[in-house]
Amino acid sequence: MEQQGIEVPRGLSGVVVTDTALGDVRGREGFYHYRQYSAVELAEHRTFEDVWHLLFHGELPDRAGREEFTKRTAALRHLPAPVRAALPAVSRATAASGPLAGLRTALSLAGAAAGFRPVYDLTPDERRDDALAACALVPTLLTALHRLGQGLEPVEPRDDLPHAANYLYMLTGEEPAPREARAVERYLISTVDHGFNASTFTGRVIASTGADVAACLTGAIGALSGPLHGGSPSRALDALDAIGTPDRADAWVREQVRAGERIMGFGHPVYRTEDPRSRMLKGIAHEFGGPLVDFATQVEERVEAVLAELKPGRELHINVEFYAGVVMELCGLPRSMFTPTFCAARVVGWSANILEQAGDSKIIRPSARYTGPLPPAPVPRLPPAHAA
C-alpha cells in the first residue's frame, strides 16, 4: 500500500524545517553566528547581557542600553517565595538525578507561580517578558538545587554582579575572580545558540502548539539532558581520567572503537572541520595553563590521530564539550554542574527561538512511515471466560 509523504533522511539530517533570523551554523566552514555577528567574536568582545539583548531584541545595545538591560534582568533573578519554599523537596526528590532533572520541575513551578499563559494568547511583548523572567530564574534555580543537594543553603543572587559572575557567586558563595568570571562568560556566550539542535527544535515544536514559555523550556531541558546532546562535557573529562597518561591514549581509543563506544568530546553532526567553539575554549584553557591543559592537549592530538587512522574520511575533531569541560574544571565548577551550566546559557537561545516560533501559528506536525504488520488485520476474539 502506498503512503503519502516525502522521504527524509534519518534524524532529519540536513532537512530545512523553517526560516530563522536568529543565526546559523556553517559546518563545512567551521563558522556559526548569532544574527549577523560571529558568535566567537561576540564571546571575545561583548558581555552575556549584550548577546541576550541581541537575540531578544535584534540588535546589540549601546552602553546605556546595556546598563538598562543588565539592571532589568538582574532584578528578575530572585525566586518567588512559593518556589523557594518548594526547592528543598524538589532537591530531595531529584537527588539521584541532579540539578538538571530538578530544574524541569522547578521551572514548571516557577512558570505556574508567575502565571505564565500560553504564548498563543500573548502579545509579542508579553511573550518576551515571560521569556526574560524564565531565563533570569534558571541560573538561580540551578545553583540553589545544586547547593541544596550538597547540604548547603542557597545563595541569594546579587543585583550588582553581571550574569556570569553572579552565577558563579550563587554556586560557590564567593565572588569570583575576574579571570574565572570572564572565562565562564565567554563559554556561556559561545553556547547560547547553535542552529536547530535537538533541544532547540524540541522547544520550537512545543511553542508551535501555543504552550506557555515554561512548558517549551521544560521540554528543551529534557532534550538537552541526553548524553548525546548536552550531557557530554563531564564525560569528556571522565575520558581524560580513564586515559590517565598521554602514552595510554592510543590504546584507550582503539579499545573504545573496537567496543563500538563513542569518544565523548570528539565529532559533531554538523561540523566537518574543527568546532570553532572548541578552538576558542582551547585558547581560554591555555590562558590558564597547567598540567590539566597540557594533558588535554596531548590527548587531543593522539585521539584525533588514532581516529583518523581507524575512521578515515570521517573528520572527527574535538567538539565544544572537550575543552568546555577543561575550562569549567579550571574555574572550579563541579562536574555535576557542567551540563546545567550549558543549560544556563542555552535557555536564552531556546527562548529566542520560542519567541520566533510563537509568531507563526502553524503547528509543527510531521509524518512517520509505518513499518509494522500490514493492516487491517482481523482482531482476534477471545473465547468466553467460562467456555467448556
Side-chain angles (χ1 to χ4, degrees):
M1 181 176 64
E2 183 179 353
Q3 284 186 264
Q4 294 182 344
I6 300 173
E7 295 294 325
V8 297
R10 184 166 172 256
L12 301 182
S13 178
V15 174
V16 175
V17 297
T18 194
D19 296 327
T20 181
L22 296 173
D24 193 20
V25 180
R26 305 209 299 247
R28 296 192 178 279
E29 300 173 40
F31 173 78
Y32 74 115
H33 56 101
Y34 304 153
R35 299 205 183 269
Q36 67 268 44
Y37 303 107
S38 160
V40 171
E41 191 174 346
L42 286 167
E44 295 288 3
H45 300 292
R46 301 300 294 241
T47 68
F48 186 86
E49 285 86 349
D50 286 351
V51 175
W52 189 352
H53 187 283
L54 171 68
L55 289 178
F56 272 47
H57 295 282
E59 61 183 9
L60 287 169
D62 58 18
R63 191 169 300 278
R66 171 192 289 178
E67 292 176 0
E68 179 184 353
F69 188 77
T70 299
K71 183 177 180 180
R72 181 182 180 191
T73 54
L76 295 170
R77 294 170 179 164
H78 300 271
L79 298 177
V83 177
R84 186 188 300 109
L87 284 186
V90 173
S91 177
R92 288 192 298 272
T94 58
S97 302
L100 201 63
L103 179 65
R104 297 199 295 267
T105 297
L107 187 56
S108 289
L109 178 60
F116 284 7
R117 294 186 291 137
V119 294
Y120 185 81
D121 298 327
L122 302 180
T123 67
D125 285 345
E126 289 171 332
R127 295 169 190 157
R128 190 180 295 112
D129 288 345
D130 283 357
L132 278 172
C135 291
L137 283 178
V138 162
T140 309
L141 291 168
L142 284 171
T143 53
L145 288 166
H146 167 73
R147 290 182 65 85
L148 287 166
Q150 301 299 308
L152 303 170
E153 284 297 311
V155 173
E156 285 294 312
R158 278 175 48 181
D159 294 358
D160 62 315
L161 289 177
H163 187 83
N166 179 67
Y167 177 71
L168 290 175
Y169 169 71
M170 291 191 297
L171 187 65
T172 66
E174 298 179 1
E175 185 172 343
R179 183 172 75 158
E180 281 74 17
R182 181 58 183 152
V184 170
E185 180 173 52
R186 289 155 71 188
Y187 166 70
L188 293 175
I189 292 171
S190 73
T191 52
V192 161
D193 191 52
H194 203 247
F196 266 47
N197 53 79
S199 56
T200 298
F201 186 51
T202 300
R204 290 191 72 127
V205 169
I206 299 172
S208 79
T209 72
D212 69 77
V213 167
C216 300
L217 292 174
T218 300
I221 294 165
L224 184 78
S225 68
L228 297 184
H229 189 9
S232 298
S234 61
R235 292 171 185 249
L237 273 189
D238 292 343
L240 289 179
D241 290 343
I243 292 170
T245 57
D247 59 289
R248 293 195 63 247
D250 289 36
W252 185 85
V253 175
R254 293 179 190 280
E255 180 181 336
Q256 295 297 303
V257 172
R258 280 197 299 269
E261 297 291 335
R262 183 181 175 195
I263 312 298
M264 290 297 182
F266 290 81
H268 194 275
V270 176
Y271 290 117
R272 293 300 174 264
T273 183
E274 187 179 15
D275 187 330
R277 301 169 298 177
S278 193
R279 187 184 311 124
M280 185 196 74
L281 289 165
K282 182 178 180 179
I284 295 173
H286 279 276
E287 291 173 10
F288 284 84
L292 175 61
V293 178
D294 293 340
F295 177 45
T297 303
Q298 292 173 296
V299 168
E300 174 201 349
E301 293 172 354
R302 291 314 312 151
V303 172
E304 287 202 354
V306 175
L307 288 175
E309 173 196 333
L310 299 178
K311 297 178 178 290
R314 291 283 300 277
E315 297 291 343
L316 297 172
H317 303 286
I318 54 169
N319 58 39
V320 65
E321 284 87 6
F322 189 80
Y323 280 106
V326 172
V327 168
M328 284 189 275
E329 183 106 328
L330 292 170
C331 290
L333 277 76
R335 293 188 187 185
S336 62
M337 287 299 288
F338 285 6
T339 299
T341 302
F342 187 3
C343 177
R346 186 56 63 85
V347 67
V348 171
W350 291 333
S351 294
N353 274 276
I354 289 163
L355 294 176
E356 187 176 62
Q357 186 65 47
D360 182 355
S361 60
K362 179 68 174 178
I363 191 170
I364 297 174
R365 203 321 189 166
S367 300
R369 183 177 63 250
Y370 176 73
T371 60
L374 187 67
V379 177
R381 268 60 167 180
L382 290 175
H386 301 292

